[in-house]
Amino acid sequence: MSMLAITTAGIRNTILDCWKQATPTWEFVFIVINLILITACYGSFSKKRVSVPSYGVPWYPLGSWVAAIRFIHNSAQLIEGGYQIHHPKHQAFKIATPSRWVVVATSPAVLKQLSENDPSVLSQQAAANERNSISYILSSSIHSDPFHVPLITKNLTLGLSKVIPDLVEGLSQIFCVDNPAGEWIAIDVYALVLKSLSATTNRILVGKELAADSEYLHSVSELAESVSRTGLVIDLAPHWMKGTLA
């Protein structure tokens, strides 16, 4: 009997016991709905399981969810630990994340084959769109009809040499932190990098004047963060709930 079947049977027995002992209340209905959602999420997660050795997953029931929570706080350690164990055998392994299993390949031959694979079979862009739930947040046409990509790539490549001096100047200004006392100070690296990416990207796309507008850069950064956060929340939900959350 599968773990999902055992879990479902346990939930059904709990609901029946509660129903016999007391009249259903709003609290009871709320608990039932949450149990159904948890079961659906667990079933959706289990369907994405692949048959390679796992790393960092406890043996007990719902151990994959415990490992997924650990991944949020210790992703680098989990990947490094799995790599140290499976790399000598050139063996792939999987790690549980909140939304899916992530397979890590360690064999040079497999990595070479993956890098040469046709994008219609294995696409990094498609994986990014799925992780960020782009079709639910923005539009599916961004992926199905990416007309903007060749335009940006062609024009950006041809004109990149002209804007490099301005990019260097802009980055110098961003990284120049005001510190009159000349002492060691704490810097928010994430905010600094996000601001740098926004400034340099928009310097190329919209021009120097608008890219220097702090209010505009703040709006662009907020949009990027909102899309990422919303995409993560939708990505955690079962497929049948994604449209409702969006």
Side-chain angles (χ1 to χ4, degrees), residues 154-232:
K154 179 181 178 180
N155 296 334
L156 182 60
T157 303
L158 295 177
L160 191 59
S161 60
K162 300 178 181 178
V163 299
I164 285 181
D166 292 332
L167 294 180
V168 174
E169 180 184 354
L171 286 174
S172 300
Q173 294 175 355
I174 293 173
F175 282 94
C176 184
V177 180
D178 187 17
N179 183 19
E183 300 177 353
W184 289 97
I185 60 174
I187 297 177
D188 188 342
V189 177
Y190 173 78
L192 187 62
V193 171
L194 185 62
K195 183 179 180 181
S196 302
L197 290 173
S198 299
T200 53
T201 304
N202 285 279
R203 170 63 185 86
I204 299 172
L205 298 178
V206 300
K208 183 176 182 179
E209 183 176 351
L210 191 55
D213 189 327
S214 58
E215 183 177 352
Y216 170 78
L217 291 180
H218 177 72
S219 299
V220 172
S221 300
E222 281 291 316
L223 174 62
E225 289 186 299
S226 297
V227 169
S228 180
R229 286 194 298 264
T230 306
L232 175 59

Side-chain angles (χ1 to χ4, degrees), residues 7 27 39 77 102 149 158 165 223 242:
T7 305
E27 291 81 2
T39 305
Q77 291 85 341
V102 172
V149 174
L158 295 177
L223 174 62
K242 294 181 185 292

Side-chain angles (χ1 to χ4, degrees), residues 117-169:
N117 219 317
D118 191 284
S120 62
V121 178
L122 191 66
S123 170
Q124 183 177 357
Q125 184 61 54
N129 290 340
E130 181 182 349
R131 153 60 183 82
N132 292 307
S133 306
I134 294 299
S135 59
Y136 296 97
I137 300 175
L138 300 177
S139 172
S140 59
S141 61
I142 294 179
H143 176 56
S144 60
D145 184 24
F147 66 92
H148 55 288
V149 174
L151 291 176
I152 294 176
T153 303
K154 179 181 178 180
N155 296 334
L156 182 60
T157 303
L158 295 177
L160 191 59
S161 60
K162 300 178 181 178
V163 299
I164 285 181
D166 292 332
L167 294 180
V168 174
E169 180 184 354

